[in-house]
Amino acid sequence: MVIPPAFMALVVQPVPQAREQVALLVKAHPRQVIFTSGGTESNNMALKGFAAGRKQAAMAISEIEHSSLIAPAQNLQQHGWQLDLIESDSAGRVSPAAVSEVINDETCLVSVMLANNETGVIQDVAAISDVAREREVIVHTDAVQAAGKITVDFAATGAHMMSLSAHKLYGPKGVGALIVHKSLELEPLLHGTGHEMGMRGGTENVAGIVGFGKAAELAVKNLETHTTHLHELQRLLERGLREITGVSIVAEQSLRLANTTCILAEGIEGETLLMNLDRQGIAVSSGSACASGSTNPSHVLLAMGIDRDLARCAVRVSLGKDNNRDDIDYFLKHLRRELANVQDPALQAWAS
Ligand code: PLP
């Protein structure tokens, strides 16, 4: 049957189209895209799908990974896998040398995130992959925070697997993807019918996937405009922060995402500062947003060698495309006010 041109748009298959859009986001091939329920599932699938069906051996993950990567790694450890931790330096970076150091004859998988969710520090995953590939070790990278904020090229990272999540790039919640190199064999986590090339059973979340595809398309289109805007705001924000006594910027010298600035505000707990700023209509997070509610200092900051008490004073400021210069001024004004309150000896005396 010949389809008249006027009806061509109607026959676009939404899921394959979204697969192409997501593939373009990370310069991968559409066949490498497996849709999942989000970054957490992608990270679980990368580790557990890799481990299933393989002889128990060793895997190495960096100390600064997101909990959705650490937890499945620890679960595998409980089931007999050896788990080695790759150190971060004080600037929040994981060096290829540190990766090389932990790789042993048993190591078959290494996982290092592309950008950290708390500090925004961007890792040189390509150099890490070089080191791992030389020793015939498979590489996974969690690019949940990086995709849509910097140019991500799956092949150039040298990784065999890459996790993505739609809601980090203005897409819907509850959908993500694992990008898998064709040479790699994984076991599905969810067995079912042949969905996602047999890699993830279950009827697809079509609405979520379509939303992810559109968000990916827009992220590619707007990447330059958004990052230029965010870099400008971040410069303004950090210039203001440097002028406030008692405030330091975590991993200040490292290459970081333009939207993420983690600060340590001496003398006030991150949770308290968060609540006080919230009353002024400012939304920041203390430590890892994903672990909020926990009063423990962030494992990422501890891994960087930051003192436990100081690590409790961490607050993460995440900027978005809709923020503007007035927001930065407003935030700095209220941060200064909060810190002046805790540093004011008269107030301190009154409070004690
Ligand atoms: N990986 C990183 C680096 C994250 O920041 C997050 C969530 O914030 C996840 C994974 C989990 O992604 P999701 O919320 O889609 O499960």
Side-chain angles (χ1 to χ4, degrees):
M1 187 179 89
V2 179
I3 300 164
F7 294 107
M8 288 294 267
L10 295 177
V11 294
V12 169
Q13 297 285 311
V15 173
Q17 186 185 28
R19 204 181 300 285
E20 278 182 27
Q21 290 162 321
V22 171
L24 270 177
L25 173 71
V26 294
K27 303 181 200 278
H29 191 282
R31 274 203 303 273
Q32 296 175 320
V33 179
I34 300 166
F35 285 117
T36 65
S37 65
T40 301
E41 184 185 329
S42 301
N43 283 344
N44 272 265
M45 185 175 176
L47 267 51
K48 292 182 168 178
F50 175 83
R54 279 187 170 80
K55 191 170 113 327
Q56 279 176 352
M59 59 176 66
I61 67 168
S62 86
E63 289 182 304
I64 57 167
E65 295 301 310
H66 187 260
S67 56
S68 63
L69 192 290
I70 297 175
Q74 288 175 335
N75 180 268
L76 287 165
Q77 187 183 29
Q78 280 160 14
H79 289 90
W81 277 74
Q82 183 186 318
L83 178 62
D84 296 305
L85 293 179
I86 309 163
E87 282 185 4
S88 145
D89 64 18
S90 58
R93 287 179 300 233
V94 177
S95 71
V99 173
S100 180
E101 219 166 90
V102 299
I103 294 179
N104 57 53
D105 292 346
E106 291 290 297
T107 312
C108 51
L109 179 72
V110 153
S111 184
V112 178
M113 69 205 314
L114 189 47
N116 185 267
N117 47 301
E118 296 183 39
T119 62
V121 174
I122 300 167
Q123 307 296 342
D124 188 352
V125 174
I128 287 169
S129 295
D130 282 346
V131 164
R133 278 176 177 266
E134 248 171 48
R135 315 266 291 265
E136 293 181 13
V137 172
I138 300 295
V139 180
H140 166 256
T141 188
D142 176 346
V144 163
Q145 291 288 339
K149 302 193 190 103
I150 54 172
T151 300
V152 178
D153 182 328
F154 177 57
T157 62
H160 302 81
M161 295 181 277
M162 176 181 277
S163 299
L164 303 173
S165 175
H167 71 101
K168 298 297 177 190
L169 40 113
Y170 303 108
K173 290 185 168 71
V175 60
L178 184 68
I179 313 296
V180 183
H181 192 271
K182 62 179 184 316
S183 65
L184 188 68
E185 282 194 19
L186 284 188
E187 276 284 314
L189 290 188
L190 302 179
H191 295 271
T193 41
H195 297 100
E196 294 303 297
M197 296 151 278
M199 289 307 298
R200 188 194 188 259
T203 304
E204 295 98 340
N205 166 13
V206 176
I209 289 172
V210 169
F212 187 10
K214 191 67 194 174
E217 183 192 306
L218 292 174
V220 173
K221 186 170 155 226
N222 297 323
L223 183 69
E224 209 182 306
T225 325
H226 286 172
T227 42
T228 307
H229 173 61
L230 289 172
H231 271 303
E232 200 184 306
L233 293 186
Q234 191 181 44
R235 258 195 304 275
L236 205 66
L237 168 70
E238 297 193 357
R239 198 169 65 203
L241 289 169
R242 274 182 218 109
E243 285 165 6
I244 306 177
T245 315
V247 170
S248 54
I249 299 165
V250 175
E252 189 174 1
Q253 307 310 332
S254 302
L255 183 65
R256 285 177 290 129
L257 297 175
N259 77 316
T260 308
T261 298
C262 180
I263 63 171
L264 301 168
E266 263 173 67
I268 181 162
E269 286 234 352
E271 279 296 311
T272 311
L273 184 56
L274 176 150
M275 284 187 289
N276 293 354
L277 291 173
D278 185 60
R279 278 191 215 108
Q280 309 304 326
I282 299 168
V284 294
S285 56
S286 65
S288 158
C290 312
S292 53
S294 125
T295 51
N296 289 330
S298 138
H299 68 283
V300 174
L301 303 184
L302 295 182
M304 291 169 65
I306 294 171
D307 170 81
R308 262 190 115 71
D309 287 337
L310 188 56
R312 281 203 181 83
C313 303
V315 156
R316 183 182 71 167
V317 185
S318 304
L319 301 172
K321 63 181 174 57
D322 298 321
N323 285 121
N324 56 39
R325 289 169 156 259
D326 291 343
D327 297 332
I328 303 291
D329 290 343
Y330 186 77
F331 169 74
L332 288 170
K333 183 176 92 181
H334 284 284
L335 180 66
R336 263 186 236 112
R337 200 171 281 176
E338 287 304 323
L339 288 168
N341 285 346
V342 289
Q343 287 159 2
D344 182 340
L347 274 177
Q348 294 285 356
W350 178 78
S352 60

